Amino acid sequence: MNAMNLFGILRRPAGALTVLALLLAAVAAVPPAKAVAAADAVAAADAVAAVAAVAAEPKNLQVMSWNMCDVPRWGCTDTGTSAQKAGVVKMHVDNTWVHAVLLQEVCENTLATLMTELGPGWGKAFHPYRWSQNGVKHDSPCVEGQPERAGTAIIVKGGIQDASTYPTTQPWTGLQAPFHCATAPYWDNIRLCNVHASWLGINPDHPTWDYRDDQFAEIKAVVDQFPRTVFGGDFNAKSPDAPNNAHAWVWPQGLYSQGPGTEGYQECDQTGTSRTGRATHGSGVKIDYIFSSETRRWCAVADSVYSDHHVMIESVAVG
């Protein structure tokens, strides 16, 4: 422990010192049995003050987003085992100091394996993908005919609260992905949200219909309600400034910031006014993003042999 940390723990607010003085006076004036109780009260006051001092220290929150390609039915059979995919997340928790994870295309058994590896003190929210056939919906399995579901997950060190899904425009026939959020109480009650947007052609009856513009506008309307937020995932869309991007129009005004001092949210890999960033998919394009209302510390993009998507990690200041 360095000197600064030591001083931070020992420092007491003036109010706590006043309470301490009064309690010490009470100890001197009461019989031994009551003195013991007063001493206990002194210890309790010290403990409260110490916790308050630690809680007031600023923290950095590292948020990881990864499309795991964990669903065998979706072309992920040869991209690694559940244990290997869970191991990628655990490695970043241990070595890149990740505190929160937004996962897309994760199977329930893989999620269970990961939560066991992470151990106690972590919270999760899982929501399944659903297949809609002319409006009749059922959960999407990881393996046809098996009960294990495919979904997206939010995982946070320190637990989560108020896990909620929010409606977005989805195909009447086709795969429907959830948009959901959860609050991280330890991390200054920041609201974390997980995105997996529809891709062009997701509706087999109307393959030219594009749902992303509606979904992005609806996502923006939700996150705009939160005082502090980090939201990310697989947006299935090139960045608006990508060369020859014929679908830049799906990004609504005010979602993707055009640089410091402009409307919108800064993206993890954004540099100044440039809204391109490094590729996040094996095809060489960027379709994964992390946006935040908070001050960015750093951004990392890491390849993995266990998915066609790269890992993204953003560090933001909280507390």
Side-chain angles (χ1 to χ4, degrees):
M1 178 179 292
N2 62 35
M4 291 185 65
N5 287 340
L6 181 61
F7 294 153
I9 293 174
L10 294 179
R11 189 179 297 117
R12 298 287 183 270
L17 293 175
T18 302
V19 171
L20 180 59
L22 291 173
L23 289 171
L24 289 173
V27 169
V30 296
K34 292 184 178 180
V36 171
D40 289 343
V42 171
D46 279 353
V48 170
V51 170
V54 172
E57 294 178 358
K59 302 183 285 284
N60 286 342
L61 168 65
Q62 277 72 251
V63 181
M64 169 179 168
S65 178
W66 188 33
N67 183 324
M68 298 182 82
C69 193
D70 189 38
V71 185
R73 294 174 55 241
W74 298 346
C76 300
T77 305
D78 299 324
T79 60
T81 65
S82 289
Q84 289 169 328
K85 292 171 184 288
V88 171
V89 179
K90 184 63 163 57
M91 183 274 293
H92 283 291
V93 167
D94 292 342
N95 297 285
T96 324
W97 314 289
V98 164
H99 309 114
V101 187
L102 310 175
L103 294 176
Q104 304 88 46
E105 296 187 19
V106 58
C107 292
E108 286 180 296
N109 289 347
T110 301
L111 183 59
T113 297
L114 174 58
M115 298 307 295
T116 298
E117 290 191 10
L118 293 177
W122 289 75
K124 67 176 174 65
F126 172 87
H127 287 281
Y129 295 95
R130 309 198 80 192
W131 178 267
S132 175
Q133 187 67 43
N134 296 321
V136 178
K137 304 174 187 178
H138 63 265
D139 294 344
S140 289
C142 282
V143 178
E144 195 65 50
Q146 299 296 319
E148 182 188 11
R149 299 175 299 173
T152 67
I154 301 171
I155 308 169
V156 184
K157 186 176 184 179
I160 60 175
Q161 294 177 349
D162 190 23
S164 305
T165 57
Y166 299 88
T168 56
T169 301
Q170 298 288 337
W172 183 247
T173 293
L175 186 69
Q176 300 187 349
F179 170 60
H180 59 122
C181 306
T183 298
Y186 178 77
W187 304 100
D188 204 26
N189 290 317
I190 200 162
R191 191 75 167 157
L192 303 171
C193 300
N194 197 348
V195 176
H196 193 177
S198 297
W199 57 87
L200 187 62
I202 198 169
N203 186 332
D205 295 337
H206 301 280
T208 62
W209 288 10
D210 202 329
Y211 298 87
R212 294 172 298 178
D213 56 327
D214 289 330
Q215 290 175 358
F216 292 177
E218 290 155 354
I219 289 167
K220 179 183 181 301
V222 170
V223 298
D224 281 351
Q225 301 173 36
F226 306 140
R228 312 181 70 185
T229 186
V230 177
F231 59 102
D234 180 356
F235 283 68
N236 271 311
K238 295 180 182 179
S239 52
D241 295 342
N244 304 314
N245 183 4
H247 300 279
W249 59 271
V250 302
W251 294 93
Q253 180 68 33
L255 175 59
Y256 203 144
S257 169
Q258 291 183 293
T262 66
E263 183 185 9
Y265 299 89
Q266 179 174 258
E267 203 275 324
C268 174
D269 209 24
Q270 182 173 0
T271 303
T273 60
S274 174
R275 298 186 297 177
T276 51
R278 288 164 284 184
T280 65
H281 189 265
S283 61
V285 299
K286 178 177 175 62
I287 57 174
D288 302 88
Y289 304 82
I290 303 177
F291 295 94
S292 178
S293 61
E294 305 308 293
T295 301
R296 179 183 60 186
R297 296 302 191 190
W298 50 263
C299 178
V301 177
D303 197 0
S304 171
V305 297
Y306 299 123
S307 176
D308 55 344
H309 288 254
H310 304 334
V311 170
M312 288 196 72
I313 303 171
E314 180 174 24
S315 177
V316 298
V318 296

